[in-house]
Amino acid sequence: MVTTASPVTAELTAALRDVLGDAAVLTAESDRAVYECDGFVIDKNRPDVVVFPRSSEQVAAIVRLCNEHNVVYVPRGAGTSLAGGCLPVGGGVMVVLTRMKDILEINLRDRYAVVEPGVVNVWLTKALAGSGYHYAPDPSSQGACTLGGNVATNSGGPHTLKYGVTVNHVLGVEAVMPDGSIVEFGGPSQQQFGLDLVGALVGSEGTLAIVTKAWVRLTRDPEGYRTMLGVFDSIDDTTNTISEIIAAGIIPAALEMMDQGIIGALEEAFHFGFPLDAEAVLLIEVDGLEAGLDEQRDQIVELCKKNGAREVRQAADAKERQLLWKCRKQAFGAVGRLSPSYCTQDGVVPRTKLPHMLRRIKEIGIKHDVRIVNVFHAGDGNLHPIVLFDERDAEQTKRVLLASHEILDECLACGGSVTGEHGIGVEKIDFMKKMFNEDDLAAMARLREAFNPQGLLSVGKMLPTSGACGLEQKHPGRRAAL
Amino acid sequence: MSTTSPLPGSSIDYQLLLDCVHCGLCTAACPTYVETGDENDSPRGRIYLMRGVIDGRLPLDDHVRGHLDLCLDCRACETACPSGVQYGKLIEPFRIEMEQLAGSKAKSDDWFHRYILFGMFPYPEMMRKALIPARIAQVLKLDRLVERLGLLRLLPTPLRRLVQMLPPLKAAEPPLPAVLPAKGKQRARVALFTGCVSDALFRHTNWATARVLQENGCEVVVPQSQGCCGAIHFHAGSSQPARELADANVAAFDLDECDAVIVNVAGCGAMLKDYGHHWDDADRSRRSDFAAKVRDVHEFLDELGLIPPTGRLDLTATYHDACHLAHAQQITQQPRNLLGQIPGLTLKPLPETDLCCGAAGTYNLTQPEMSERLSRRKLDNILSTGAGVVVTANAGCLLQIAQQARRGGHRLDVLHPMDLLDLSYRGLSLP
Amino acid sequence: MTTTNPLPLTETLAPGDIDALVDVVRDCCASQTPLYPIGGATALDYGRTPQQPGIGLSLSGLNRVVDYPASDMTITVEPGITMGQLRETLAGERQELPIDVPQSDAATIGGVVATALAGPRCYGLGTIRDYVIGISAVDGRGTPFKGGGRVVKNVAGYDFCKLLTGSLGSLGVIVQLTLRLRPIPEKSALVVCDVSDSEMAERILAALVNSGTTPVAIELLAGPAWQNDPVLGDLPGGAAGRIAVGVSGTATEVDWMIEQLQREWNQQHVTGVRAISDAPADELWSRIVEFPAADAPLVIQSSVRPSDVTGLVEECRGADEACSVVSHAGSGIILARFAEVPNDDVARLINNTLRPAAVTADGSLVVLSTNLGNQTHQTIWGGRTDATVVMESVRRQFDPQRLLNPGRFFRD
Ligand code: SF4
Ligand code: SF4
């Protein structure tokens, strides 16, 4: 493990220009500024050089140069991480993969596609339109986030309950190892023998290697959808409905819940016509064979009513389906329009703990005097409590942080996790110690050591102890308001 | 290179900058970012740069200028942004102030050209590049207007020279009469906004629009005292002349006498709909009333319920979303709905349909490389559909795509949706 | 696979709880004694036969259900619970772990995770790697560690669930598992047809990619084992094998899919089409699942692109015409049971013929079991690649003394 990394020298910069060409190396102060943070803006740190490789070989050359010069480096895709996954801790070289953006192969017979890391998630979906197949993981940032970033963070989305997360759809990757070698793990065939290093690399937040190519599995498009929206008078009724739907053997493609706070926000911003005194709205979607859908829809409607739903709206066609989804999709935007600032967490609890958790979130909000609204993936217990505040109010900002932390602590107390989708990054690094004991963390550090003994790749991420220690931070990360 | 005080962007409401929560969800919608992969060329990056300059954290150097100059002002980012960031209200004043501060260096003409001509006129050939802006200026009656308002002083020198040099231009078709009767049972009475540029260069499309409206039971009135919508002036930072134009238009249309003010050019439509927002004075409510009546022709006909045309057009077409229709007015489905009713017409989905075609006025002069990349990308996407006809509701896009196709030696008809509908109603086929 | 224990054991210990198990590992660590974790002892001949004498570590004492919150559709169990017991427990709540393994009354969940072999339903429902959401293990130093948790969605920390799944006990002894579950489908059935040759098989398989149905399993059955089948009857003269498509869901869905598939196949002029459900379907299903466990001189498993399945099956059948095959063809997985290996030369068959064919198809091939002598590491697993070099360095971190299952997967 590295003790002290060196600063970027003119020599390194010149060598990078030699390999990549001038247009692929940014050094100007103002050119590097936008790379000082990603979707997480509390910590900022400017990289010393930003490079745009176009091939695996170029990535490998960059890594070798960083090793030669003992300089830290970090990969970046679209920079939509909400956890500071792309924060260049310690400065160094930022390897931006957005110019490696080709879909290299689409093979429908064998149901896979080969993509470069800079391909935007939705581009693959668009490329597959009309083929009868799609790429299942669809994080809500899919219009912007890259597949490389999805692989790094094991992204989920609203459909994970039925279709799983990224790791369930990655067959293989090509990665540039921290020693500068290019190694393929897995490939187009289904089963790999020996250690599942694909599984280990997916979700490793760029701390083990830089993924430069991925073989992803394609999923058959569902023949049809049934979308319903239930309006409930109590949280317990809502969560009971969820449990009963699942107990009935139905696995909805999506099960999204919005609480009173968010309903109010949506009404204020977009006027969907929801009763403002409703406690919760549940968006339920089943998909699959047309032959079975009406039966499932009727069952769900009945379960909603049985559990006291005041109203169940059903989408008759694609247009109405879009309308029902619109309120879910605009939830965050609605909040943004109501409050100068907001922050969100993505803790997970077992589904049955949802009523308890929602009660606790309410209490925590009252305790810290902050407004918290909820919109989340109820099917897999993945919460997204949104805390509203004004970033210019320093005292309130402090309370927001306290409330957020208390919510995550409660998730852990319920046997859950502090992050279901966003990742640890730098944001939740302190929670790792709460979630895992020292032995667990040591085991993780050993896995990192196996891949990344040089310790120059993605320092200061995910694990509280490794890498960053002893690093001389050339630019102190500025702390901005939330 | 850094400028001396004061900093640009001082007029920008700081709250508008704070609206951006730095989520990055807009990046992949941005044509320039999609091309360069550099976040400095993305909406989030540009907002960050502007904020950095305003905060005094970043110098306004050539790098920053370059990234801001590369922006097409296509507003695709506004469509993509879930937080409702009004990007146009940031970049436009910022660039104007950036320009004013930098003096009248050649580079500073870039944005000006672009704003004047955004969405309207790319240049078919290099030779005509220098000529066209002046021709447009003349067509726009900008020459006289400019003189009258003393705006000439504000024009960049080369353009000023050209305006004064240009020979007069003739229009090929007769102007539209003041009233055209509805066909069949009258369903509505509408006023048609004919625009200045489009009426001169695309008068056939105005005629087509009027005929289509007539076919749909609309009596069409064409107020003869209407004029330029003022968008070019407004975007060029000449707010006062724009206001005068707006007020002239508000006066020209008798709102009580019509159900809607119909516009068929994306850029003009976006401007007319914004009349109520731009100026805070005693006449604001009158302008708001006017704006409330403005309908894009596709929007209007789709709402009214199109009387399906019967003439077959056995064509395979694809529809390109013009920025000022899709992003500025959020109109994407309606034109497709209308086109879908033409018998025989097959509409192929266009990949990346809402990505700017690179026309963006004189963008291809000031940013030839990026313009060329985007326009080639657009053509490649069009060709990938196998369609022989491209339909789009903006003159600039029409010219840009046609030129790119010609250059590549591809046979491609480029038309306004109203042109196609008109052919079908009249039982004609493509010439 | 055989039931005789091929491991060089000096003794076998069966700790009753995790603490006792940790003690065993630590003792072995101190005395540098190799340790062989044993679950249901159904797959002990998978991998290279270890040579170093050591202690057998039976997980039979760790066979409890730790927690089963059925409405969360997860279960936390100890590794020694058998797949049969697990199935019964879950059936009480109309839930299941949709992983099909041979000898499920003996096979344990720990063993299934450690070996991670794909079953027929991997086409529609994935493999065991998709179901492990939390794991605890004891590494080669005797240090317990865990990864994941009890929630279905969790991206905190490295995914040890994936890392340990399929690790053949070479990184740690699994001591606890949390699994994601599914509801038991209301109805399941098989739709079967005859195929005359490889081309026809590939044509049908390729068409299934665009079928209106959503199968959970697509099986290609070939060779003598399927000639005169108690359920399917005799294979008509000239036919090379059969394709069996498994469908499940609500009764309405299954009935519709049966009809739809019959329609599609009729359009493709496929012969011998029939649907099987209830007891006959269960019977056929179980023969498919148990296929790799039967006694045979050589059983291999290969994973290739689905479109290369028929080619590789032909390759196997060309080498030994008495070779029988079950292929989870939708997923490109082939299980081949040889009756006769030419000159009993397993190494030559694998290394010169079969594996190169699999590698050409972008895949891999391993020996599941053989009774034709002790084979080299190369023959069982194939050559060292860049990826296995990384695996070795992972192994060094978790088991620096190479005491866990030495020689079985790694070249210790
Ligand atoms: S402009 Fe909108 S989408 Fe883009 S980063 Fe800012 S808030 Fe996000
Ligand atoms: S206006 Fe267009 S080019 Fe400019 S930042 Fe927005 S999307 Fe990009």
Side-chain angles (χ1 to χ4, degrees):
Chain A
M1 192 154 297
V2 76
T3 46
T4 309
S6 313
V8 170
T9 57
E11 202 193 334
L12 172 58
T13 312
L16 287 168
R17 287 191 198 279
D18 272 352
V19 175
L20 304 170
D22 286 348
V25 181
L26 304 183
T27 51
E29 175 85 4
S30 53
D31 274 346
R32 293 182 282 115
V34 307
Y35 293 99
E36 67 190 12
C37 61
D38 48 31
F40 173 74
V41 294
I42 294 180
D43 276 337
K44 293 179 182 162
N45 202 33
R46 215 165 278 183
D48 296 304
V49 193
V50 180
V51 294
F52 299 87
R54 285 194 181 271
S55 66
S56 312
E57 288 70 27
Q58 288 192 344
V59 175
I62 294 163
V63 169
R64 281 195 298 270
L65 282 173
C66 288
N67 283 336
E68 273 167 37
H69 292 80
N70 192 37
V71 164
V72 296
Y73 58 101
V74 64
R76 176 172 173 127
T80 53
S81 168
L82 292 169
C86 310
L87 184 77
V89 177
V93 178
M94 177 170 274
V95 187
V96 181
L97 297 158
T98 49
R99 289 187 190 167
M100 292 177 68
K101 55 175 179 183
D102 285 339
I103 297 173
L104 301 172
E105 185 187 354
I106 287 180
N107 184 331
L108 292 175
R109 165 63 186 96
D110 292 331
R111 298 189 304 145
Y112 71 84
V114 191
V115 295
E116 290 192 316
V119 172
V120 172
N121 179 298
V122 82
W123 293 351
L124 181 55
T125 302
K126 286 190 178 160
L128 288 163
S131 71
Y133 278 81
H134 69 287
Y135 175 65
D138 57 346
S140 41
S141 56
Q142 73 171 146
C145 61
T146 62
L147 290 169
N150 292 172
V151 168
T153 54
N154 193 14
S155 302
H159 294 101
T160 57
L161 177 63
K162 179 165 180 179
Y163 292 101
V165 291
T166 300
V167 72
N168 307 114
H169 300 271
V170 177
L171 293 164
V173 297
E174 175 197 84
V176 171
M177 300 293 289
D179 66 359
S181 60
I182 302 173
V183 181
E184 277 185 17
F185 301 96
S189 57
Q190 157 101 27
Q191 178 153 26
Q192 312 304 329
F193 301 99
L195 303 186
D196 181 4
L197 297 186
V198 176
L201 278 164
V202 176
S204 63
E205 301 194 23
T207 61
L208 300 183
I210 299 179
V211 169
T212 47
K213 200 195 275 183
W215 286 262
V216 298
R217 191 198 315 280
L218 304 178
T219 304
R220 191 95 171 100
D221 293 345
E223 192 187 355
Y225 304 89
R226 294 294 180 277
T227 312
M228 290 137 279
L229 192 135
V231 180
F232 289 86
D233 286 329
S234 91
I235 296 277
D236 288 342
D237 288 349
T238 322
T239 47
N240 282 341
T241 309
I242 296 172
S243 296
E244 288 189 24
I245 290 172
I246 295 204
I250 300 171
I251 303 184
L255 202 44
E256 303 281 305
M257 185 165 159
M258 288 166 277
D259 75 355
Q260 193 172 30
I262 202 94
I263 300 170
L266 276 165
E267 273 311 299
E268 253 176 81
F270 302 112
H271 315 291
F272 282 101
F274 293 132
L276 286 175
D277 58 339
E279 274 283 335
V281 165
L282 194 59
L283 179 74
I284 311 156
E285 183 163 285
V286 285
D287 67 12
L289 295 171
E290 277 293 342
L293 286 176
D294 284 343
E295 207 173 291
Q296 290 187 29
R297 178 199 57 204
D298 295 347
Q299 234 176 323
I300 290 171
V301 170
E302 198 173 301
L303 287 173
C304 287
K305 292 200 171 135
K306 190 188 128 206
N307 281 292
R310 167 198 299 213
E311 180 195 346
V312 186
R313 298 185 188 176
Q314 297 176 41
D317 54 28
K319 214 169 161 185
E320 284 186 36
R321 172 176 175 239
Q322 248 174 19
L323 210 71
L324 292 188
W325 268 102
K326 197 173 162 197
C327 65
R328 166 64 182 93
K329 294 206 166 136
Q330 301 208 330
F332 276 84
V335 171
R337 283 164 209 242
L338 292 183
S339 164
S341 324
Y342 64 89
C343 73
T344 180
Q345 294 295 346
D346 84 316
V348 194
V349 295
R351 200 166 37 231
T352 46
K353 293 281 184 355
L354 280 176
H356 164 79
M357 199 56 218
L358 291 169
R359 266 192 298 277
R360 285 290 297 133
I361 290 175
K362 208 170 191 173
E363 287 165 20
I364 291 168
I366 292 169
K367 177 175 157 196
H368 295 284
D369 191 22
V370 286
R371 187 170 165 202
I372 308 179
V373 298
N374 290 286
V375 47
F376 57 96
H377 311 311
D380 32 40
N382 193 182
L383 297 156
H384 287 111
I386 307 172
V387 191
L388 312 184
F389 67 107
D390 187 336
E391 68 178 324
R392 288 161 297 191
D393 182 341
E395 199 271 331
Q396 194 188 24
T397 307
K398 227 182 276 164
R399 280 185 278 126
V400 167
L401 284 173
L402 287 177
S404 298
H405 285 182
E406 208 170 321
I407 290 171
L408 292 183
D409 284 340
E410 188 68 32
C411 289
L412 290 181
C414 290
S417 166
V418 292
T419 174
E421 310 182 304
H422 302 171
I424 297 294
V426 293
E427 183 201 24
K428 288 182 281 270
I429 226 165
D430 292 341
F431 280 94
M432 286 296 278
K433 282 186 183 147
K434 294 186 180 176
M435 211 171 147
F436 297 103
N437 65 31
E438 249 167 54
D439 287 339
D440 305 335
L441 293 175
M444 291 186 192
R446 282 201 291 276
L447 180 62
R448 178 181 297 193
E449 181 72 15
F451 276 82
N452 182 10
Q454 294 82 1
L456 294 170
L457 166 63
S458 297
V459 294
K461 300 284 164 57
M462 197 197 248
L463 297 185
T465 47
S466 89
C469 58
L471 244 183
E472 177 205 0
Q473 206 152 319
K474 291 207 299 106
H475 316 288
R478 259 176 300 107
R479 283 196 93 81
L482 249 176
Chain B
M1 171 187 106
S2 71
T3 49
T4 46
S5 62
L7 290 170
S10 47
S11 72
I12 296 173
D13 176 0
Y14 200 76
Q15 185 55 45
L16 290 176
L17 285 164
L18 292 183
D19 283 347
C20 173
V21 297
H22 213 257
C23 62
L25 298 189
C26 52
T27 51
C30 173
T32 56
Y33 172 75
V34 165
E35 279 295 324
T36 69
D38 180 356
E39 273 187 53
N40 284 295
D41 299 322
S42 79
R44 174 171 73 174
R46 291 187 176 116
I47 293 170
Y48 206 68
L49 290 176
M50 288 188 273
R51 188 171 168 182
V53 170
I54 291 170
D55 289 348
R57 294 205 298 126
L58 289 177
L60 181 59
D61 58 14
D62 283 348
H63 296 280
V64 175
R65 282 173 190 286
H67 297 306
L68 297 181
D69 272 337
L70 199 64
C71 173
L72 297 143
D73 198 26
C74 70
R75 314 281 196 87
C77 45
E78 291 189 6
T79 302
C81 173
S83 301
V85 168
Q86 301 171 62
Y87 176 81
K89 290 193 177 159
L90 299 173
I91 189 79
E92 289 172 9
F94 193 94
R95 286 206 291 209
I96 288 166
E97 286 171 42
M98 182 166 93
E99 153 65 17
Q100 284 162 354
L101 288 170
S104 57
K105 286 260 172 284
K107 197 170 162 34
S108 63
D109 294 345
D110 299 359
W111 63 264
F112 186 82
H113 281 120
R114 212 174 307 147
Y115 276 133
I116 283 214
L117 305 162
F118 176 79
M120 297 179 189
F121 290 94
Y123 306 99
E125 279 118 42
M126 283 301 284
M127 255 189 58
R128 296 177 57 202
K129 269 185 182 167
L131 201 67
I132 286 279
R135 185 182 298 228
I136 295 161
Q138 194 179 36
V139 169
L140 283 171
K141 308 267 191 299
L142 194 68
D143 49 352
R144 267 180 293 149
L145 185 105
V146 155
E147 276 162 38
R148 186 155 49 91
L149 300 173
L151 193 60
L152 202 56
R153 285 177 292 106
L154 295 176
L155 288 181
T157 321
L159 186 56
R160 198 188 317 164
R161 249 198 329 265
L162 281 166
V163 170
Q164 291 160 330
M165 248 171 50
L166 208 71
L169 216 94
K170 275 193 214 97
E173 283 179 67
L176 275 74
V179 184
L180 295 116
K183 276 204 180 171
K185 184 171 167 285
Q186 181 164 334
R187 301 161 77 200
R189 185 159 197 266
V190 299
L192 184 63
F193 182 84
T194 49
C196 42
V197 179
S198 59
D199 198 40
L201 294 190
F202 292 90
R203 187 169 278 167
H204 58 278
T205 300
N206 277 344
W207 272 105
T209 305
R211 282 191 295 260
V212 170
L213 287 164
Q214 286 177 284
E215 288 287 345
N216 278 278
C218 298
E219 183 185 1
V220 183
V221 295
V222 186
Q224 302 293 301
S225 55
Q226 60 173 305
C228 169
C229 68
I232 46 173
H233 312 81
F234 184 78
H235 291 308
S238 302
S239 178
Q240 180 52 30
R243 176 171 9 195
E244 288 178 23
L245 286 167
D247 288 338
N249 280 327
V250 170
F253 285 79
D254 187 346
L255 294 183
D256 295 335
E257 288 298 304
C258 67
D259 299 313
V261 175
I262 303 295
V263 55
N264 62 2
V265 173
C268 305
M271 177 67 184
L272 298 183
K273 285 181 175 180
D274 260 354
Y275 272 5
H277 297 144
H278 287 329
W279 306 279
D280 199 1
D281 59 17
D283 292 327
R284 185 177 191 152
S285 72
R286 283 184 59 217
R287 286 185 217 111
S288 296
D289 292 345
F290 176 84
K293 279 235 159 149
V294 176
R295 289 283 177 285
D296 173 73
V297 64
H298 310 91
E299 183 185 20
F300 176 80
L301 285 171
D302 193 46
E303 237 169 63
L304 184 71
L306 189 78
I307 295 174
T310 50
R312 275 191 82 79
L313 287 174
D314 286 306
L315 300 168
T316 305
T318 189
Y319 177 78
H320 157 69
D321 282 288
C323 297
H324 271 148
L325 205 56
H327 303 306
Q329 298 184 63
Q330 301 291 317
I331 292 174
T332 53
Q333 201 47 53
Q334 297 90 327
R336 294 179 168 87
N337 292 349
L338 302 184
L339 291 168
Q341 296 180 53
I342 297 176
L345 186 77
T346 313
L347 208 57
K348 286 273 168 94
L350 174 64
E352 303 186 332
T353 172
D354 53 1
L355 207 66
C356 180
C357 63
T362 57
Y363 192 83
N364 59 358
L365 253 191
T366 57
Q367 304 285 347
E369 198 214 324
M370 180 57 70
S371 174
E372 171 71 16
R373 278 161 82 170
L374 290 171
S375 129
R376 220 177 3 218
R377 186 180 181 121
K378 180 58 68 184
L379 183 68
D380 286 346
N381 278 322
I382 291 168
L383 295 176
S384 79
T385 65
V389 180
V390 191
V391 197
T392 185
N394 196 42
C397 310
L398 291 168
L399 291 174
Q400 174 89 348
I401 293 166
Q403 175 213 6
Q404 188 69 30
R406 225 177 10 252
R407 217 192 293 160
H410 304 281
R411 217 193 107 55
L412 206 59
D413 286 305
V414 193
L415 298 160
H416 192 284
M418 289 303 130
D419 295 332
L420 273 187
L421 278 168
D422 181 44
L423 288 175
S424 176
Y425 280 118
R426 295 160 73 195
L428 302 175
S429 53
L430 262 190
Chain C
M1 298 190 190
T2 58
T3 41
T4 51
N5 192 331
L7 298 173
L9 302 182
T10 52
E11 63 176 320
T12 299
L13 302 173
D17 58 36
I18 296 178
D19 289 343
L21 185 144
V22 168
D23 287 342
V24 173
V25 181
R26 292 209 172 134
D27 288 348
C28 286
C29 212
S31 59
Q32 299 197 13
T33 312
L35 200 56
Y36 298 101
I38 301 170
T42 58
L44 294 180
D45 42 10
Y46 179 32
R48 194 170 173 225
T49 309
Q51 305 300 312
Q52 302 175 40
I55 291 175
L57 178 59
S58 166
L59 277 307
S60 57
L62 286 168
N63 62 353
R64 284 161 288 247
V65 173
V66 178
D67 188 19
Y68 181 19
S71 23
D72 286 334
M73 283 215 294
T74 65
I75 190 169
T76 301
V77 295
E78 292 183 330
I81 190 168
T82 66
M83 292 301 276
Q85 285 164 337
L86 185 60
R87 186 174 53 227
E88 265 170 48
T89 307
L90 301 176
E93 299 285 348
R94 289 198 295 141
Q95 293 178 349
E96 66 167 347
L97 175 70
I99 302 298
D100 311 294
V101 297
Q103 297 167 293
S104 62
D105 288 336
T108 60
I109 181 67
V112 168
V113 171
T115 50
L117 296 171
R121 280 190 287 172
C122 65
Y123 181 73
L125 300 174
T127 58
I128 185 71
R129 117 196 241 270
D130 300 311
Y131 290 88
V132 183
I133 57 171
I135 201 160
S136 301
V138 178
D139 73 8
R141 296 178 169 95
T143 313
F145 66 99
K146 65 176 181 299
R150 292 195 183 180
V151 284
V152 293
K153 207 164 161 194
N154 184 359
V155 294
Y158 294 122
D159 196 344
F160 286 145
C161 302
K162 301 286 177 298
L163 187 67
L164 290 167
T165 300
S167 67
L168 282 155
S170 57
L171 300 183
V173 183
I174 297 167
V175 293
Q176 190 172 299
L177 290 158
T178 301
L179 306 160
R180 199 161 75 86
L181 305 170
R182 285 182 64 91
I184 294 182
E186 189 184 343
K187 185 173 176 181
S188 297
L190 285 160
V191 188
V192 187
C193 70
D194 300 335
V195 289
S196 54
D197 54 27
S198 286
E199 267 117 280
M200 183 186 186
E202 170 55 18
R203 198 157 35 81
I204 296 172
L205 291 171
L208 279 170
V209 169
N210 291 310
S211 166
T213 64
T214 53
V216 288
I218 297 177
E219 303 296 294
L220 174 67
L221 314 173
W226 306 100
Q227 278 301 330
N228 359 68
D229 186 85
V231 173
L232 300 175
D234 290 353
L235 204 56
R242 291 183 161 108
I243 287 174
V245 172
V247 290
S248 65
T250 64
T252 326
E253 286 171 338
V254 170
D255 293 344
W256 180 85
M257 281 195 279
I258 291 172
E259 273 175 40
Q260 170 68 13
L261 196 54
Q262 285 173 333
R263 263 196 303 276
E264 289 175 12
W265 278 355
N266 285 338
Q267 273 165 17
Q268 296 163 34
H269 310 292
V270 174
T271 56
V273 179
R274 77 215 96 146
I276 309 164
S277 52
D278 306 315
D282 293 346
E283 201 186 321
L284 177 57
W285 185 256
S286 105
R287 254 203 315 289
I288 292 172
V289 171
E290 299 296 330
F291 177 84
D295 239 335
L298 173 68
V299 185
I300 59 108
Q301 175 162 357
S302 177
S303 172
V304 293
R305 292 168 191 264
S307 57
D308 287 314
V309 161
T310 53
L312 194 65
V313 168
E314 236 175 43
E315 200 78 51
C316 292
R317 305 248 308 121
D320 166 19
E321 58 180 30
C323 168
S324 293
V325 171
V326 164
S327 168
H328 313 319
S331 307
I333 289 170
I334 297 158
L335 293 156
R337 220 165 65 189
F338 290 82
E340 262 166 51
V341 174
N343 307 320
D344 284 359
D345 196 343
V346 174
R348 184 193 293 263
L349 174 65
I350 299 288
N351 295 323
N352 296 2
T353 310
L354 299 183
R355 184 168 291 124
V359 170
T360 309
D362 271 330
S364 50
L365 183 146
V366 300
V367 172
L368 270 190
S369 66
T370 176
N371 56 21
L372 298 176
N374 205 351
Q375 302 300 325
T376 62
H377 196 279
Q378 169 77 30
T379 302
I380 307 269
W381 294 111
R384 214 159 162 254
T385 64
D386 290 346
T388 46
V389 173
V390 183
M391 291 179 199
E392 283 161 12
S393 69
V394 173
R395 150 87 149 170
R396 269 196 300 281
Q397 289 291 330
F398 284 81
D399 180 15
Q401 299 194 77
R402 306 171 177 200
L403 296 177
L404 296 174
N405 256 339
R408 194 130 171 230
F409 174 70
F410 287 102
R411 298 164 188 257
D412 295 307

